[in-house]
Amino acid sequence: MKKLDTSSLRKSVTFSIVITMFILIVVIVAITNFVYEDRDKSYEKKHSLQVHRSIDQTINHYVKEYVYINKRIIQTTKLATLLEKKDRESIYKLLKPKWDLMREEESTLKTMHFHLKDGHSFLRMHMPNIYGDKLTHIRPMIKEIHTSHKTISGFETGTHNSLYRIITPIFDSKNKYIGALEVGLDLNFIINELKDINGVDGLVFIKNDKLSLPKSIKNKLLDGYEIQSTPHGNLDLIYRSLKTLDFKRQDVTVSTANNDYKVHIFSLNDFENKPKIKILIFHDILESFTEEDYLLIIQLSFILISLAILVWFIYTRIKSYENCVTEVYRKQILKIHESQHLLAKSQKITHIGSWKLNIASNRLIWSDEIYNIFEIDPKKIGATYEDFLNAVHPDDKKAVNSKYLESLENKTPYSLEHRLLMKDGRIKFVKERCETTFDELGNALVSIGTIEDITKQKELLNELEFNRDYLQNIIDVLPNIVIVTDGEKIKRANRTMLDFTGYQTLDEFKKDHDCICDFFIEEENTLMPFVDELTWLAYIFANPNQIHEASMVHDGKVHRFIVQAQKLPISKINTQESLSVVTFADVTEIEVIRNKLNNSNKVLLENEEKLRAITDSALDAIIMLDNDGKFIFWNPKAKAILGYEEDELLGKDFHKIVAPKAFHEAAKKGYKKFAKTGEGDALGKILELSAIKKGGHEFPVSLLLNGVLIDGKWHGIGFLRDLSETKKMENELKQKDEIMLAQSRQAAMGDMISMIAHQWRQPITAISMGAQNMQLDIELEDVDYKRFNEKLAKIVEQTSFLSKTIDDFRNFLKPNKKADSCMLSELVEGTLGLIGKSLENNNITLNKSFKNDIEIITFYSEVIQVLLNIINNSKDIILLKNMSDGTIEIKIDSDAQNVYIEICDNAGGISDDVLPRIFEPYFTTKDEKGGTGLGLYMSQMIVEKHLKGTIVAQNINGGACFKLSLPRKSTDGE
């Protein structure tokens, strides 16, 4: 193996690269150092000004919003009257739902407090059991509102909390001041809005205030201030890195193990205008990098690359020592080739191919036998997973792919039989085995497997199965009982034996019995399980010239059988088992027929009397028509239903009298065909039609028609039932379902209004902040048109979002009379467009998995109503349990006929005693104001009755999981 000498080339290239890199580094360093320092100072000043403006706007926005909410509560309720009466309990019941909704919409809302004009606390909605304490001596804001009787706002430390407070006066009907309504916000509302609008993180510190601190944080004093926020993630790292901090400085930098942050410090005063609050905004220095900043990084990168090139250059000098290693490598390759050759021969003989998939590089290697099995030319097509799936039969692709993915997820080997579809239409059967290795972290590394061609084995098995079924079909059509047995246990049996003993399958028979002799009853000269100390079968073979009989009971009747047995040849596989085929010929009917012939006249007379008794007592009308369609018989119920006397109908045309006039021609044509052939589309079917009573009244009926051949002519027999009461009950049930559907949609509308409030708050605030920032740029005469256009585009984007929310709400309320075409993912996204912000504001994580997104035809708003009901239930239980890691997961999938939507949460699941009842109407586990008990009932009714799908609920992995199966095309609009 001759090796090419490339040392001279390597030296030349290395020298050129080193010179080039050195020149580039010098130029980049000079340019970067010149621009960076001045640009950085300008950027920080502007960013600080924008954040300060955003803080002011955020406070003003929340003050206006909650002043409006307070006034609406006072003006639209009986609050003033109840406060004047000092009816604390009634006020609490009146405002409890509103308070819960406000807390759900705004997580930083902490208090709602009612004050009497004498300075005493009257009711804390957040702590209803604490009241009556006098606050004017420790709360200047309370003293001020009782003096000025005007709305005030500001930060203040109270008895239990340090909050930003908005206090609104309350006047009675004579405009006399009687008290005040106060709401308190955790200062984190400023941090949250800055995060949403400006994309920055921050912490709040309060001077000498130890109220309502998070218990999980070991608080530290920084320059006399103590933290009030709950840091998570990067903020926790930043907080732990703050050793000391001078709040008088404005250019502070904090470093963590991962990043460096520029700290902007903003001061807020309390209501008495005393310095009280410090807001620290942390700006990731790396995130503020512009293209100029990255030039410095590129500069350093080039230096490292240059060092790497030097290392590489030195490395190439030792290549001369590779010759001995190459020789060893060549010998090992020869041995490997020999092993591969032997392996290829073995695989060709056994029709087993092997494959290896490097998951990291996605490189697949096939052995030659796999190419032979797949009938693929390796010179034309390489080994890829797509080529493998293309060869798999279309009906098996999903199962094959799912099996492999499941093995990766469960970290277990798998074995699977499936089909291959050849180009000429032939089908091959293969057996695939696979095992995957994983690293210490559980990451998949390499999958190794085999594929065995089992087509011939399958053909042999199919032939054996055909022969077995063929033999079984032959003995199944025999009227006699046929079994294969060893005298103690049955091995095989025909259909006649199963029907006689009352079992559907032989396996069911074997659960209760081993031997047919269990059914033998003792009669004269009949077999029993043991005869003369021999088993019944051994006794038959011991007395071959004797006629053997057995008696068994079926449906209360004793049947007599003649029993014959024949030994089967010993099996080549099982030489120890001796089996016999035994037939039981039922001779009971021979005697019965003889008796019937002797008593035929008596039987005919009795049957006629029985028939008359049956028809006279029947609850349905029974009529009989001759070959021309005329009445020849009817029972008393027919008279009661139709109102005609016997002489009014006998010999008259049935269809002209009973059928509505519009159906006369069709009925005449159909009966004419039946009269000739005995065939008709309506025969043997229960039809719902309209009939005419005497007097012309039309009413609904069900009609079952059958034919009977009498004297070579076809006669019709009909069974008629009046459906008037049934239809009336169906209409009442339908009206009840419509009422419950309306109640369910009204409840859903209430939830929808809350969702819209969530959806609109952030866009409106973002539009306001964006406009303010643009105004600030104009005032500073620092208008960057590119940035200006970006902000305008952001405002347009937010207004489009508001418009889309309205469209989503309108589409939800608009009833669907016809099915619409949409993508499966659009249904889910449409739902999340209505509820997504509510989940986000309540810190509920939403995970989506769209596996097979396809176009479907369905009723859009109905499906969204079902999804909203399920997601809302998951959200409610997560909030009820105060879960900090609440998660809702939505998966979609599809196959050829159906689409599947799966919604799961991690809230602990549904208790076993509740789970069977969750789809019952008016059943709820919530309190009276928390639920109607109709959501899941209506969801089941919509899915199963309207959409023709299924919905099931079960507990999986510590949470509740709802699985919906819907047809890909829905057409039923009723």
Side-chain angles (χ1 to χ4, degrees):
M1 186 181 294
K2 188 175 180 181
K3 199 171 184 179
L4 179 65
D5 183 11
T6 60
S7 60
S8 298
L9 179 62
R10 285 199 298 271
K11 290 179 181 179
S12 176
V13 171
T14 301
F15 179 78
S16 299
I17 291 175
V18 170
I19 295 300
T20 303
M21 294 300 294
F22 178 77
I23 294 173
L24 288 174
I25 289 170
V26 172
V27 173
I28 291 170
V29 169
I31 295 174
T32 301
N33 290 337
F34 180 79
V35 174
Y36 182 80
E37 184 174 351
D38 181 71
R39 190 209 60 79
D40 184 65
K41 291 181 179 178
S42 175
Y43 178 85
E44 290 299 327
K45 180 179 179 181
K46 183 176 180 180
H47 181 76
S48 178
L49 186 59
Q50 287 181 341
V51 172
H52 197 283
R53 190 70 172 268
S54 296
I55 292 174
D56 293 338
Q57 291 295 327
T58 297
I59 294 174
N60 291 335
H61 171 74
Y62 271 76
V63 170
K64 290 178 181 179
E65 180 179 1
Y66 279 96
V67 167
Y68 172 78
I69 291 173
N70 287 354
K71 289 182 177 179
R72 288 291 297 168
I73 291 173
I74 296 170
Q75 295 171 1
T76 60
T77 65
K78 300 178 180 179
L79 176 61
T81 302
L82 295 174
L83 183 63
E84 190 174 14
K85 295 179 180 179
K86 296 184 180 181
D87 190 347
R88 182 179 295 104
E89 183 177 354
S90 297
I91 294 177
Y92 183 79
K93 289 182 179 179
L94 174 68
L95 297 182
K96 182 61 168 61
K98 179 67 176 177
W99 167 247
D100 291 341
L101 180 61
M102 292 171 65
R103 284 296 311 275
E104 179 182 337
E105 292 177 348
E106 182 54 60
S107 60
T108 60
L109 179 62
K110 299 301 180 182
T111 66
M112 177 182 283
H113 196 170
F114 293 90
H115 304 274
L116 297 176
K117 64 180 181 179
D118 61 1
H120 286 85
S121 167
F122 179 72
L123 172 63
R124 293 177 171 92
M125 292 297 296
H126 54 288
M127 291 188 295
N129 295 326
I130 301 176
Y131 55 84
D133 46 325
K134 190 171 182 66
L135 301 174
T136 52
H137 63 289
I138 60 170
R139 295 278 308 278
M141 292 183 71
I142 301 301
K143 186 175 181 180
E144 174 63 22
I145 190 70
H146 291 330
T147 302
S148 64
H149 302 168
K150 295 181 179 179
T151 297
I152 59 174
S153 62
F155 181 84
E156 186 178 65
T157 298
T159 306
H160 304 96
N161 303 92
S162 295
L163 304 171
Y164 192 92
R165 305 174 189 273
I166 301 101
I167 309 178
T168 305
I170 303 175
F171 300 91
D172 62 11
S173 59
K174 298 179 180 180
N175 204 29
K176 181 180 178 182
Y177 177 78
I178 60 175
L181 168 58
E182 170 192 346
V183 293
L185 295 167
D186 184 340
L187 278 180
N188 285 301
F189 78 91
I190 299 175
I191 301 300
N192 294 342
E193 289 296 317
L194 291 178
K195 176 67 175 179
D196 290 340
I197 298 169
N198 297 84
V200 295
D201 293 314
L203 296 173
V204 176
F205 287 79
I206 298 179
K207 189 173 184 180
N208 297 329
D209 186 2
K210 297 184 178 180
L211 295 175
S212 299
L213 302 180
K215 298 180 180 179
S216 61
I217 300 177
K218 184 178 180 182
N219 298 296
K220 61 177 72 174
L221 286 173
L222 297 178
D223 198 19
Y225 285 79
E226 196 161 19
I227 190 169
Q228 290 290 295
S229 304
T230 303
H232 298 286
N234 289 336
L235 283 176
D236 186 50
L237 295 175
I238 296 172
Y239 174 69
R240 299 179 188 279
S241 300
L242 293 173
K243 304 300 182 183
T244 58
L245 187 65
D246 183 4
F247 282 119
K248 296 179 180 179
R249 295 183 57 191
Q250 293 298 320
D251 54 338
V252 181
T253 301
V254 177
S255 298
T256 66
N258 300 323
N259 294 10
D260 292 331
Y261 297 86
K262 184 72 81 174
V263 183
H264 299 276
I265 303 174
F266 302 91
S267 298
L268 295 176
N269 295 339
D270 62 7
F271 179 75
E272 295 179 303
N273 204 29
K274 298 178 182 179
K276 193 71 175 180
I277 304 100
K278 297 293 184 179
I279 298 178
L280 275 62
I281 301 300
F282 304 95
H283 186 211
D284 191 339
I285 294 176
L286 290 178
E287 290 182 356
S288 65
F289 278 11
T290 62
E291 293 180 359
E292 292 85 359
D293 299 320
Y294 284 104
L295 289 176
L296 181 60
I297 298 175
I298 294 173
Q299 167 189 325
L300 298 176
S301 300
F302 277 159
I303 295 174
L304 295 175
I305 293 172
S306 300
L307 293 176
I309 292 173
L310 291 176
V311 173
W312 170 80
F313 177 75
I314 296 172
Y315 168 77
T316 57
R317 298 301 300 164
I318 64 174
K319 280 292 184 178
S320 59
Y321 299 102
E322 291 180 345
N323 291 335
C324 60
V325 176
T326 301
E327 181 62 21
V328 174
Y329 174 78
R330 185 185 65 80
K331 292 179 180 180
Q332 293 297 323
I333 288 297
L334 289 176
K335 291 182 180 180
I336 292 174
H337 286 169
E338 290 177 0
S339 300
Q340 289 177 341
H341 181 66
L342 291 174
L343 177 61
K345 280 189 174 182
S346 301
Q347 291 184 353
K348 187 172 183 180
I349 294 171
T350 59
H351 299 291
I352 298 177
S354 60
W355 56 270
K356 178 180 179 181
L357 174 63
N358 188 315
I359 296 175
S361 62
N362 196 27
R363 184 169 181 265
L364 179 62
I365 300 175
W366 284 352
S367 68
D368 292 340
E369 188 56 24
I370 289 188
Y371 285 100
N372 293 334
I373 293 173
F374 286 9
E375 299 181 6
I376 295 175
D377 187 355
K379 296 180 181 179
K380 296 181 180 179
I381 301 177
T384 66
Y385 188 67
E386 289 70 23
D387 293 331
F388 165 72
L389 286 180
N390 289 336
V392 175
H393 193 282
D395 293 341
D396 295 346
K397 284 183 181 181
K398 183 177 180 181
V400 172
N401 193 44
S402 298
K403 196 72 174 179
Y404 178 68
L405 295 177
E406 287 176 4
S407 72
L408 293 180
E409 183 178 355
N410 300 329
K411 299 180 176 59
T412 57
Y414 73 88
S415 176
L416 174 69
E417 290 185 8
H418 61 86
R419 295 168 292 174
L420 302 179
L421 181 61
M422 300 295 102
K423 294 181 179 179
D424 57 2
R426 289 179 295 110
I427 292 178
K428 285 186 176 183
F429 291 87
V430 296
K431 185 170 186 179
E432 182 179 349
R433 299 177 180 88
C434 171
E435 185 171 350
T436 304
T437 58
F438 300 82
D439 62 16
E440 295 178 353
L441 299 177
N443 299 316
L445 300 176
V446 177
S447 294
I448 299 175
T450 62
I451 296 179
E452 179 183 2
D453 188 348
I454 59 172
T455 305
K456 290 185 177 180
Q457 295 94 309
K458 277 288 184 180
E459 291 173 353
L460 290 175
L461 289 174
N462 290 338
E463 185 175 355
L464 289 173
E465 186 176 356
F466 172 80
N467 292 334
R468 183 190 64 192
D469 294 339
Y470 183 78
L471 177 61
Q472 184 67 44
N473 289 333
I474 291 175
I475 66 173
D476 278 345
V477 298
L478 295 176
N480 297 334
I481 293 176
V482 181
I483 64 171
V484 177
T485 180
D486 60 0
E488 296 179 357
K489 295 183 179 180
I490 290 183
K491 304 300 181 181
R492 298 191 71 172
N494 69 342
R495 184 76 256 164
T496 305
M497 177 268 187
L498 295 173
D499 291 341
F500 184 88
T501 56
Y503 290 90
Q504 291 295 321
T505 66
L506 185 59
D507 289 335
E508 291 180 5
F509 177 92
K510 289 181 178 181
K511 290 179 180 178
D512 299 328
H513 306 281
D514 289 327
C515 180
I516 194 173
C517 60
D518 292 348
F519 293 83
F520 290 175
I521 63 173
E522 187 173 2
E523 287 189 338
E524 186 177 358
N525 298 323
T526 60
L527 295 171
M528 292 300 291
F530 289 90
V531 183
D532 296 341
E533 298 182 352
L534 296 175
T535 65
W536 64 278
L537 185 59
Y539 180 81
I540 292 174
F541 288 123
N543 301 275
N545 298 323
Q546 182 178 333
I547 296 177
H548 302 282
E549 295 183 29
S551 294
M552 294 183 284
V553 177
H554 176 66
D555 290 341
K557 178 182 177 181
V558 177
H559 289 250
R560 192 87 165 192
F561 296 88
I562 293 178
V563 186
Q564 294 178 308
Q566 178 67 47
K567 289 186 177 181
L568 295 175
I570 299 298
S571 171
K572 293 181 180 180
I573 298 176
N574 186 2
T575 60
Q576 304 298 320
E577 190 174 38
S578 176
L579 300 176
S580 301
V581 58
V582 184
T583 61
F584 294 76
D586 191 345
V587 296
T588 308
E589 294 299 323
I590 296 175
E591 186 64 27
V592 173
I593 292 172
R594 186 182 296 112
N595 293 332
K596 285 183 178 179
L597 290 174
N598 294 333
N599 301 288
S600 58
N601 292 331
K602 181 179 179 181
V603 171
L604 287 174
L605 182 60
E606 290 177 351
N607 286 343
E608 184 178 354
E609 292 176 352
K610 291 178 181 178
L611 177 62
R612 176 61 64 179
I614 291 172
T615 57
D616 287 350
S617 62
L619 298 178
D620 292 337
I622 302 175
I623 59 176
M624 189 171 183
L625 309 178
D626 64 11
N627 192 252
D628 296 323
K630 296 179 179 180
F631 284 98
I632 60 175
F633 171 83
W634 73 340
N635 68 338
K637 190 65 177 180
K639 174 184 176 181
I641 292 177
L642 298 176
Y644 292 98
E645 297 294 336
E646 185 174 358
D647 58 354
E648 294 180 279
L649 288 182
L650 287 178
K652 303 293 179 64
D653 189 301
F654 166 76
H655 300 99
K656 288 185 178 180
I657 294 177
V658 178
K661 189 174 182 180
F663 299 99
H664 284 179
E665 284 300 320
K668 181 179 180 181
K669 183 177 180 181
Y671 200 85
K672 185 177 181 180
K673 176 183 176 183
F674 161 73
K676 289 182 178 180
T677 65
E679 298 177 353
D681 295 336
L683 290 181
K685 300 177 181 177
I686 298 177
L687 306 176
E688 290 193 6
L689 306 168
S690 293
I692 305 296
K693 287 185 176 183
K694 184 178 180 179
H697 175 66
E698 186 172 334
F699 66 103
V701 297
S702 67
L703 178 64
L704 172 62
L705 292 176
N706 276 306
V708 59
L709 194 63
I710 302 176
D711 296 331
K713 293 185 178 181
W714 286 102
H715 291 60
I717 298 177
F719 299 87
L720 192 74
R721 177 175 295 178
D722 188 346
L723 297 180
S724 299
E725 288 299 321
T726 303
K727 291 296 182 182
K728 181 180 178 181
M729 293 176 64
E730 288 179 354
N731 290 333
E732 290 176 353
L733 289 174
K734 184 176 180 181
Q735 291 175 0
K736 178 181 178 183
D737 288 342
E738 289 175 353
I739 291 172
M740 287 192 289
L741 179 60
Q743 291 175 345
S744 175
R745 291 187 70 86
Q746 288 173 357
M749 286 176 62
D751 294 336
M752 291 290 297
I753 294 173
S754 174
M755 296 173 194
I756 290 177
H758 281 291
Q759 298 295 88
W760 280 27
R761 175 177 286 111
Q762 180 178 335
I764 291 174
T765 306
I767 291 172
S768 175
M769 296 301 103
Q772 292 294 336
N773 289 336
M774 293 167 62
Q775 182 181 2
L776 177 62
D777 289 342
I778 295 172
E779 293 174 357
L780 296 175
E781 297 182 354
D782 183 22
V783 178
D784 184 331
Y785 287 100
K786 179 179 179 181
R787 185 172 67 252
F788 206 79
N789 288 332
E790 289 176 353
K791 292 180 179 178
L792 287 174
K794 188 67 176 180
I795 292 175
V796 172
E797 177 185 348
Q798 296 296 335
T799 56
S800 299
F801 176 81
L802 295 176
S803 176
K804 183 178 181 301
T805 303
I806 296 174
D807 292 341
D808 290 341
F809 183 58
R810 184 176 62 240
N811 291 336
F812 172 75
L813 296 178
K814 181 174 64 178
N816 291 97
K817 295 299 182 183
K818 295 183 179 180
D820 296 321
S821 174
C822 65
M823 296 301 292
L824 181 57
S825 61
E826 290 179 11
L827 286 172
V828 177
E829 296 297 349
T831 305
L832 298 180
L834 299 172
I835 198 173
K837 201 62 183 179
S838 178
L839 299 178
E840 180 182 340
N841 287 346
N842 287 286
N843 297 319
I844 298 176
T845 302
L846 180 66
N847 297 323
K848 298 179 291 184
S849 175
F850 296 168
K851 190 172 184 180
N852 290 318
D853 188 17
I854 63 168
E855 185 177 19
I856 64 172
I857 299 176
T858 190
F859 297 90
Y860 185 88
S861 63
E862 278 79 355
V863 177
I864 287 185
Q865 182 177 353
V866 173
L867 299 182
L868 283 175
N869 281 335
I870 297 172
I871 296 174
N872 260 328
N873 283 347
S874 294
K875 182 194 76 173
D876 290 343
I877 190 63
I878 290 172
L879 294 179
L880 181 63
K881 294 185 176 182
N882 292 322
M883 297 177 62
S884 61
D885 59 344
T887 300
I888 299 177
E889 184 173 6
I890 303 177
K891 299 179 180 178
I892 64 173
D893 201 352
S894 63
D895 56 26
Q897 289 80 32
N898 300 302
V899 297
Y900 305 98
I901 304 175
E902 183 174 312
I903 304 174
C904 302
D905 59 46
N906 65 340
I910 306 170
S911 62
D912 293 339
D913 58 331
V914 171
L915 185 59
R917 300 187 61 198
I918 61 173
F919 292 112
E920 295 179 7
Y922 302 111
F923 176 77
T924 178
T925 59
K926 304 175 183 177
D927 56 30
E928 294 181 355
K929 298 180 180 179
T932 64
L934 290 175
L936 290 179
Y937 167 72
M938 293 310 304
S939 296
Q940 185 184 50
M941 189 174 74
I942 290 171
V943 171
E944 296 183 353
K945 293 186 178 181
H946 191 181
L947 303 178
K948 307 303 181 186
T950 61
I951 177 172
V952 295
Q954 58 190 114
N955 293 323
I956 298 177
N957 297 330
C961 194
F962 287 81
K963 298 182 179 180
L964 281 73
S965 174
L966 304 175
R968 293 178 61 166
K969 183 176 181 180
S970 295
T971 58
D972 182 13
E974 295 300 323

